[in-house]
Amino acid sequence: MSRCRVCQHALLEFFDFERQPLSSAFVAPDGTDDEFFFRLAVGMCESCALVQLIESVPPELAHHEGYPYHSAGSSVMTKHFEETARRFIETELTGPDPFVVEIGANDGVLLHTCGEAGIRHLAVEPSGAGTVRVHRAFFDAASAAAILATDGPADVVYSANTICSVPDLRPVFEGLDVLLASDGVFVFEDPYLGEILERTAFDQIYDEHVFFFTVRAVQALAERFGFVLADVERLPVHGGQIRYTVARAGRRTPTPAVAELLAEERELGLTDMATLEAFGRKIQGIRTELVALLHRLRAEGHTIAAYGATAKSSTIANYCGIGPDLVPYVCDTTPAKHGRLTPGSHIPVRPAAVFADPYPDYALLFAWNHAEEIMAKERAFREAGGRWILYVPHVHVV
């Protein structure tokens, strides 16, 4: 892509992570010859300032029946979605027969909570969504029309960590125009570019994240398709996100929070090329420091493991050239990943129980966005003298 996926203006590339695999395509030990690779590079639209991947992979390759992430596996995320559901029930789903739709519902934690409260709900999810009712399709005008015919208009259409992964957003907004009630809202939350830059959290950039939103870019996006950005809210989950509330034009007045964050973005120069290029230099510095640290520890005879076979760990492992020679294995709680190899870097994935049998001297925390939860769970590791290696916002040892 040399043009913005939304407004078709030129993209200005500012960093290249080079050759990368599909971040969730954990491979069998005998399947490494068939991996799909692409060039992971990011640029900014010179017009609407939307930061996005230069190249993207077909959605059906990234999201499939065996998609290995499940939000119910994290107590923090389970609580987050339960609280979000209760908030919708109190503020948006207050009519006589409210209806909520979730795009990309994963295993359906939020919708299950709504169902327990007697709220009609539906997941639009091509790869399944646990025990909730599912319309198996990508969300667009056709699927929206089918839902409207059977269930009526939606009071809330919600999505978490999904809209940023949709390469073509026009069908999504066309679907919203069909399905959303006149006073309904589209609420989505995704990683915030401001947090990514502030934390140098470059591993948030991988194939499944096509867009890296700012308030400025989302406001322009909503207006392009006849909607208005009505509210924004910072969220602490997944390393820093923003929850965007979008409504039909003329139906809601934007809250002061929208203007406040827009002003903050201007003051920080969040979408200035100089800011983005400086971010790239920080990424290069982290790679140099992290690789040097791992080589030194291995040369000194220390044992090292990684913790959390996350999608985003694919970016740092492949960009930094971290393989089983530096990190012999990574522990993870997801059974579907056990016995497989991390994409591209081919680090063996082992069950979390292996972490204590015996403990390594150092653990590279790939799942840094769940650091508090993981470190509390693995308190015995530190008590045994183990040390965590983190690389966000810089390389350091805990």
Side-chain angles (χ1 to χ4, degrees):
M1 295 288 294
S2 60
R3 296 282 171 180
C4 174
R5 291 170 174 80
V6 174
C7 71
Q8 299 304 307
H9 282 80
L11 288 180
L12 307 175
E13 183 176 321
F14 62 86
F15 199 79
D16 184 357
F17 290 95
E18 303 165 357
R19 187 172 179 263
Q20 291 278 341
L22 299 176
S23 59
S24 290
F26 291 82
V27 295
D30 61 353
T32 58
D33 292 336
D34 298 325
E35 286 183 278
F36 177 91
F37 288 87
F38 76 113
R39 188 174 78 96
L40 180 64
V42 278
M44 181 186 68
C45 175
E46 66 176 2
S47 177
C48 70
L50 179 56
V51 172
Q52 57 201 275
L53 299 188
I54 302 297
E55 298 181 12
S56 59
V57 301
E60 62 271 17
L61 291 180
H63 300 283
H64 48 79
E65 189 69 35
Y67 187 62
Y69 176 76
H70 297 288
S71 53
S74 166
S75 60
V76 170
M77 293 311 300
T78 296
K79 181 181 178 182
H80 171 73
F81 290 127
E82 289 173 346
E83 291 177 346
T84 301
R86 286 192 286 269
R87 176 172 172 177
F88 286 152
I89 292 167
E90 294 172 358
T91 61
E92 303 291 348
L93 301 172
T94 58
D97 185 23
F99 178 45
V100 57
V101 171
E102 183 172 3
I103 303 172
N106 194 256
D107 49 5
V109 175
L110 179 136
L111 293 183
H112 182 72
T113 305
C114 289
E116 289 180 333
I119 304 294
R120 287 192 303 121
H121 58 279
L122 180 69
V124 182
E125 171 62 69
S127 59
T131 59
V132 299
R133 189 165 65 98
V134 183
H135 183 86
R136 297 179 67 85
F138 289 104
F139 186 80
D140 55 19
S143 59
I147 296 167
L148 182 68
T150 57
D151 293 273
D155 300 283
V156 173
V157 175
Y158 173 74
S159 187
N161 304 298
T162 297
I163 300 305
C164 69
S165 71
V166 180
D168 186 1
L169 293 175
R170 178 175 293 277
V172 173
F173 279 88
E174 290 174 346
L176 290 170
D177 194 39
V178 170
L179 184 60
L180 202 62
S182 60
D183 287 323
V185 290
F186 172 45
V187 181
F188 69 99
E189 50 195 63
D190 278 305
Y192 179 45
L193 181 66
E195 291 284 355
I196 292 172
L197 298 187
E198 182 179 349
R199 297 170 182 249
T200 321
F202 65 90
D203 58 353
Q204 295 274 37
I205 302 170
Y206 54 94
D207 60 300
E208 293 168 20
H209 289 173
V210 177
F211 297 108
F212 304 91
F213 295 122
T214 59
V215 177
R216 174 187 170 186
V218 172
Q219 184 183 61
L221 174 67
E223 291 175 354
R224 172 171 290 274
F225 295 109
F227 293 83
V228 61
L229 178 59
D231 194 20
V232 291
E233 178 185 1
R234 289 185 180 272
L235 302 173
V237 298
H238 286 310
Q241 300 192 329
I242 283 187
R243 176 180 291 154
Y244 303 92
T245 299
V246 173
R248 293 187 183 277
R251 304 302 299 188
R252 301 206 180 192
T253 301
T255 67
V258 176
E260 290 168 5
L261 265 178
L262 283 170
E264 182 178 313
E265 290 180 354
R266 287 192 296 269
E267 183 177 349
L268 294 174
L270 198 60
T271 51
D272 293 346
M273 280 300 290
T275 302
L276 298 173
E277 289 168 349
F279 170 63
R281 290 190 291 273
K282 290 180 181 178
I283 295 172
Q284 294 171 328
I286 287 176
R287 175 171 67 172
T288 299
E289 291 181 31
L290 180 59
V291 172
L293 173 62
L294 294 175
H295 275 291
R296 178 174 64 80
L297 293 176
R298 292 289 283 175
E300 293 173 354
H302 293 292
T303 55
I304 305 173
Y307 199 105
T310 60
K312 64 179 178 291
S313 68
S314 177
T315 296
I316 188 163
N318 286 279
Y319 176 64
C320 295
I322 299 172
D325 57 326
L326 289 177
V327 179
Y329 64 95
V330 53
C331 290
D332 195 273
T333 58
T334 308
K337 300 176 184 177
H338 299 162
R340 303 183 80 83
L341 307 178
T342 57
S345 53
H346 303 157
I347 301 172
V349 183
R350 299 181 179 176
V354 174
F355 188 57
D357 188 27
Y359 284 124
D361 299 326
Y362 291 83
L364 177 60
L365 187 54
F366 283 144
W368 58 263
N369 52 312
H370 296 295
E372 184 176 350
E373 181 180 3
I374 290 171
M375 289 183 181
K377 175 185 174 184
E378 301 290 356
R379 185 177 294 107
F381 169 60
R382 292 187 65 181
E383 293 173 349
R387 298 183 178 184
W388 295 100
I389 300 172
L390 293 97
Y391 49 87
V392 173
H394 54 82
V395 178
H396 59 292
V397 176
V398 177

